[in-house]
Amino acid sequence: GGWGNLGGGVTQIVMGTALFPLFKTGMSAEMAWRTVCLVPACVGFCLGFTIMRISDDAPKGNYAEMKKNGNMAEVSAAASFRSGATNLNTWILFIQYACCFGVELTMNNAAASYFKSKFELSTESAAAIASIFGWMNLFARGIGGFMSDKLNSKMGMRGRICA
């Protein structure tokens, strides 16, 4: 989906334009920026804990219940890992994802600092402009997923890899 990692852009704009000015009032700008980064970490931790408590493991239910009812085969973690690690498609997709997501994380982390130092913008303005990179996920991930689905329907997994 297109909302995949929109969080990078949202985090930049919320932290830079809403939270940073609040934190800046009682501490240095550098310390405020470092401290404000704790907010999304705490929100993420609380959200993860909540999801873990209220959601199912899969659309058909929790794994323990499915195994108990015979709907899911008992597979050891080692066997599952071995199956994935020996699949060539896994490694191709791993490398592709590492490259694209590594660039995205670098951009999300460095863009605001770059705009602030290079163009002498305020931290708030630099964060707002840097957030645009994350907002691109609204269409870029959607188009990529659409292309992947179309090629998958015609060529199978090889089509997804090509996309």
Side-chain angles (χ1 to χ4, degrees):
W3 296 94
N5 196 37
L6 180 60
V10 172
T11 300
Q12 283 286 349
I13 201 160
V14 168
M15 287 175 32
T17 59
L19 295 176
F20 179 71
L22 295 174
F23 280 74
K24 191 169 68 171
T25 58
M27 57 185 79
S28 71
E30 184 178 336
M31 189 61 174
W33 188 252
R34 291 173 189 257
T35 306
V36 80
C37 289
L38 295 173
V39 174
C42 291
V43 169
F45 178 81
C46 292
L47 184 61
F49 183 76
T50 303
I51 289 171
M52 185 178 73
R53 301 291 296 159
I54 67 171
S55 68
D56 292 335
D57 295 333
K60 293 183 179 180
N62 290 318
Y63 293 142
E65 294 170 16
M66 292 190 313
K67 288 175 184 176
K68 188 171 72 174
N69 297 335
N71 297 338
M72 181 177 176
E74 186 75 40
V75 179
S76 73
S80 179
F81 179 79
R82 188 172 30 259
S83 173
T86 57
N87 186 331
L88 179 62
N89 291 331
T90 301
W91 288 102
I92 292 170
L93 291 172
F94 171 79
I95 291 166
Q96 287 178 333
Y97 188 76
C99 292
C100 77
F101 195 57
V103 169
E104 184 174 344
L105 287 178
T106 300
M107 286 297 296
N108 283 337
N109 288 326
S113 297
Y114 175 77
F115 292 137
K116 184 174 174 19
S117 65
K118 180 73 173 171
F119 300 105
E120 299 177 2
L121 297 174
S122 68
T123 301
E124 295 88 339
S125 297
I129 294 169
S131 74
I132 294 169
F133 188 81
W135 286 98
M136 286 190 307
N137 286 302
L138 281 175
F139 72 90
R141 294 260 173 117
I143 291 171
F146 178 77
M147 288 175 45
S148 176
D149 289 345
K150 287 297 180 191
L151 289 175
N152 180 54
S153 68
K154 293 179 180 167
M155 302 168 55
M157 186 61 169
R158 293 282 172 221
R160 281 204 196 280
I161 291 171
C162 288

